Amino acid sequence: VVKGSATPYLSGYVLQSDLDKIASNPMVVKTKVGEGTLIYSVENLAFRSYWYSSMKLLMNSIYFGKF
């Protein structure tokens, strides 16, 4: 569903080995499980309800996802 770029923009410090792991890899994935659909992310979208932009992504996935 969402794929990271080959050269991700980062703010702060990250080890080069970790940066290589996240470059060009999926960030959000949707898959069928039994009769349902599972949407999962590499980040905790509801972490302490702190990041309002990621909460919108989570809520849109729940309420407006085509399952």
Side-chain angles (χ1 to χ4, degrees):
V1 175
V2 177
K3 183 179 178 183
S5 72
T7 56
Y9 173 79
L10 297 172
S11 176
Y13 177 76
V14 64
L15 293 172
Q16 185 62 44
S17 59
D18 291 336
L19 184 60
D20 295 338
K21 290 177 187 176
I22 64 172
S24 300
N25 284 311
M27 300 294 160
V28 178
V29 178
K30 180 179 89 168
T31 187
K32 290 285 190 186
V33 177
E35 294 184 29
T37 302
L38 176 66
I39 299 173
Y40 57 97
S41 168
V42 297
E43 292 291 328
N44 181 353
L45 298 177
F47 179 72
R48 297 183 185 169
S49 296
Y50 185 75
W51 302 109
Y52 295 117
S53 59
S54 62
M55 287 295 287
K56 291 177 184 177
L57 178 62
L58 175 63
M59 291 297 114
N60 283 338
S61 297
I62 293 170
Y63 292 115
F64 301 114
K66 295 181 181 178
F67 301 110

